[in-house]
Structure formats: C-alpha cells, structure tokens
Amino acid sequence: MQLRPYQRYAVEEVRFVGRGRAPTLLMVCPTGGGKTVIGSRVVAERTAQGQRVLWLAHREELIDQAAAALAREGLAVGVLRGERKEALDAPVLVSSWQALKNRMELARERQFLVVDEAHHARDDNSYGQVIAAMSGVHVLGLTATPWRTDGKGLTDVFAEHFVVREPHQLRDEGFLAGLEGFRYRTFDANDIRIRGGDFVPGQLEDAVTSDVELAGDIVAQWQAHAGGARTIAYCVGVSHAVELAARFREAGVAAEHIYENSADRAGILSRLRSGETRVVTNFAILTEGFDCPPVSCVVMARPTLSVTLHLQMLGRALRPWCYDCGREAPTNLPRCAFCGGGNHKRKGRVHDHAGNLARLGHPYAARDWSPADTKPPTVGAFYGFKEIPPQQPKEGARQAVEVDATRYEVRDVRSEDVERKKAKRRGGGTASRCPDCGVTRLGVEGVELPPHTRWAMKRAGDGWQHVEVPCTVKGDYLD
C-alpha cells in the first residue's frame, strides 16, 4: 500500500524508537488519519528485522481491522480474541487484552508491542500488566485523543510522544472532510451527576429516554435533512439504541441497533457499509477505531463531557469517500481524483441533539495534543456557526413542520481569528466594537459568534467554561 506523505513521516519518526531515543512512544494521529496503516508498516519493518510483534486492542472490530491491515502488508498474522484462536505462533499476533490475561507467556516471547487506542493504557490496568510482562521491549501507542476522561495523562506509560498532523491540517490537505449540520434543542443535563469525568450513564439514560419528543425529533430531522446518508447514531444506553432504531424502522428507514452482545455485529456493519442499512444506532461500540468511510452523517443523541469521546464520535463521518468508485478520494477537489465523478464526500454532517458541539467544540478546533496530566481543553468559544439560509420549497410541495433547529456550517473560528489578527498587524483586516458596551472583537467574515464569548473566556481565566455574556443593552450583534 502506498503511504500518504504524512504517514511516511510518521513511520520515519517511529524508527527513532529502535535507535534508543525512547523505549515507549505515543503516536497521536487524528481520527481517519490512518493510524492502523502507519502501525502496520512499522510492524512490517520490525518483522523484517526478525522481531516478533504483539498488537494489542480491546474490541472485536479493532482486532479484525488490524489483522486485515497487517495481512495487506504481506505478514503472517495470528489472532487471539474470545473463541477465535488462530496461528498463535505467527510472527505477528493481534490480541485483546482480555484474551491475553491468562496467556501472558504469549506476550513475553514478543520483542515489540503496539497498543491500539492507547489512551486506555495505564500502569495500573490490564494494559499496564501486559507492558510490565514485556519488560524491556519497545512499545508504540496509537491514539487520536491522548487524554483520559479522569484528567490523568499518559506520561506514566509513554516516555515521549509526537503528533503526526493536527485534524485541521488533514482537512486542508484533503484527507478529511469538512463538517456541516444542525444543532437542535436538547434536555437539561444540569441535574445529571458526574463520575470519572463524564455523566453517570444510568441517570443520563433515564433523562434522555423519558423525553419522547426528543426521539421523534431525531427521526423527523434525519428524514428531512440527511438525504438517506449512511448514519451512525450514538445513544446513551442499550435500551435507548433499541428504541431509536425501532423509531427509524417505523418511519420506513432501514435501521439496526448494535451493542456489545449483538449476535450479528459483523453482518450489521457489513450492511451499513453496503448501504443496505442506512442507520445503525449503538451504545459505546462504534466510537474508537471503527472505520467505515461511506458513513457521512453522525447523530449525536448521547451528551458527554469527554472531549475524547466527542472527537471519536464526530470522526466517523469525516473519512473521505467516493460513492462512485469506492475509493478514499481527496475532499478538497471538485471531482473524484480517481474516477472523475462528482459523487464524493466533501463534507460530513452532524445532527447534534445532545449539545456536545456547544459544550466541547468541533473537531478542527486548535487544541493542545500533549498527553501530560491535564483535563482535555474545553473549546466551546473556539468555534462558530455560519447560518445557511433555508431553501424555498417548490410550489405545491408539502410544507415541513417548523422546528427549533437551524442549519449551520461549522467552522474553526479560532484559527480564522488568529489569521485575521496577523492580517491586521500587516495593515489589513478590521476590528469592531460593540456600540453599547465597548467590548472589541475582531471580525470573522460571515460567521456569527455567541455574544462576547471570547471576552468571557478571557475574564474567567484558565478554568473558564463556555458561557454567553450578552451585551448589557443590545444583546446579540454581528460583526
């Protein structure tokens, strides 16, 4: 497989691990950037040097995807998960930590370890036990989100880290799609308890499933605006996923639900890839590492406080794809670079019924990607929404029911604002001042920001939260 330029850079950077630079290295690469592809090429180089490799993952889909990617490199691959025990003496073994707990001798005989979705690793959990059992070997961690929800960093496991690319760079280079979509009303989460850095699941599910109108809005708005796009819906629990899938089917949409104990998980995902199934609802399954480029829409029905979970969910809709030739076509070209067709993904879409965008920001916001001990940054004030005027219905067409929703194009306002400041220092750009309260903000053309959020952020210091501070006289205003 031919690597992209940034993937070749990542492989070269990882080679330093074998040159004594660090025994443990964390590679941070955005969701959809091809971490598995990079890791597979590194493993191919290691096996060519005579090393035996263990690839550690924690979920069925991740194990199968890694095994397939490694096989495409021409490697002999064994698999250990659940009842599946294949070629355990192969040069490369892909295993779940659950299956390895009682077979730790299989880990000790390996000379290189790859930890997939490495943000789960701690020195005191099962990942740490495997790393301790393989004492002295080089370890490569792969993740798109180098934070734990409890605020603890990953420096207890990984001595060094490097960032392959930031998400907005891959978007600008055409390797990820842009983002557009809708924000909708959501329920009040103020009374939900927080545990381990996120909402308590049981209370969250009770609050969401008791809102009958919310479930109806999700289906109706998807039918009105998603255009039949292949969609993953994120729910707050198994019963919520079952109920929401049933609502979609009642409306005539081919929908299925999936959870940890689903009997036909592979079949459900295969039907989603082919388009036979249009919507798959899930709870805590299709987040990390799941690759399905034809998916172009994400329904956020699960509120969260975790930036890690938020970015992982949104990332499922951002992989490039051409629906004519079935290849990952660059998103920054007007037509597919492979077949010349125009039916390729240029933007993913999100239907946010959970308030996550306002709470945690969009996937292309500027962030600190260091795995040090710190809570993931809340970036609610660093995104903006450019409103897209609704299309006028054709004469005689059925009128849509009016709902509390507005269509927006999600944009990275912070980066645009930085560029505007640079332009102003060079003598260009404009600044505006609220005529009533005197707060100055740099204008971002065509973007409506919540009133004075940057001012509120500055006043609150490091511990700020996303708050809207209306002008004392006039309220909202546009630059």
Side-chain angles (χ1 to χ4, degrees), residues 23-43:
T24 55
L25 178 68
L26 179 68
M27 185 188 80
V28 182
C29 184
T31 300
K35 294 181 295 297
T36 305
V37 172
I38 297 169
S40 298
R41 182 59 57 87
V42 171
V43 169

Side-chain angles (χ1 to χ4, degrees), residues 353-364:
H353 296 266
N356 290 337
L357 279 170
R359 190 180 300 115
L360 301 170
H362 77 109
Y364 297 124

Side-chain angles (χ1 to χ4, degrees), residues 277-453:
T277 295
R278 287 292 162 176
V279 178
V280 169
T281 64
N282 82 105
F283 169 64
I285 293 294
L286 305 182
T287 50
E288 301 163 327
F290 170 67
D291 295 333
C292 185
V295 169
S296 61
C297 180
V298 166
V299 172
M300 295 277 219
R302 177 184 180 176
T304 183
L305 296 174
S306 167
V307 175
T308 294
L309 178 59
H310 174 64
L311 295 180
Q312 296 280 2
M313 291 190 293
L314 282 175
R316 302 310 125 196
L318 302 180
R319 291 284 297 269
W321 190 250
C322 176
Y323 296 95
D324 290 331
C325 66
R327 300 179 69 178
E328 295 191 13
T331 60
N332 57 353
L333 299 177
R335 306 190 73 81
C336 174
F338 301 108
C339 69
N343 189 23
H344 68 299
K345 188 196 303 184
R346 301 195 66 186
K347 288 187 178 181
R349 63 185 300 109
V350 56
H351 288 202
D352 184 7
H353 296 266
N356 290 337
L357 279 170
R359 190 180 300 115
L360 301 170
H362 77 109
Y364 297 124
R367 302 173 191 268
D368 178 8
W369 298 97
S370 169
D373 287 355
T374 181
K375 288 190 178 297
T378 303
V379 291
F382 295 159
Y383 73 94
F385 294 100
K386 177 181 178 182
E387 186 170 346
I388 301 175
Q391 295 182 349
Q392 294 299 319
K394 296 180 180 178
E395 186 175 352
R398 180 184 298 178
Q399 298 297 310
V401 178
E402 188 172 327
V403 297
D404 181 19
T406 308
R407 185 178 180 187
Y408 293 94
E409 176 186 6
V410 184
R411 298 175 61 181
D412 185 351
V413 174
R414 184 182 188 187
S415 295
E416 294 175 0
D417 200 18
V418 169
E419 293 302 316
R420 188 60 61 90
K421 287 181 179 179
K422 291 179 180 177
K424 188 174 186 295
R425 286 196 294 269
R426 293 192 298 266
T430 60
S432 61
R433 182 182 297 273
C434 174
D436 297 300
C437 67
V439 174
T440 300
R441 294 191 304 166
L442 287 166
V444 181
E445 183 178 357
V447 176
E448 178 181 355
L449 289 173
H452 301 176
T453 48

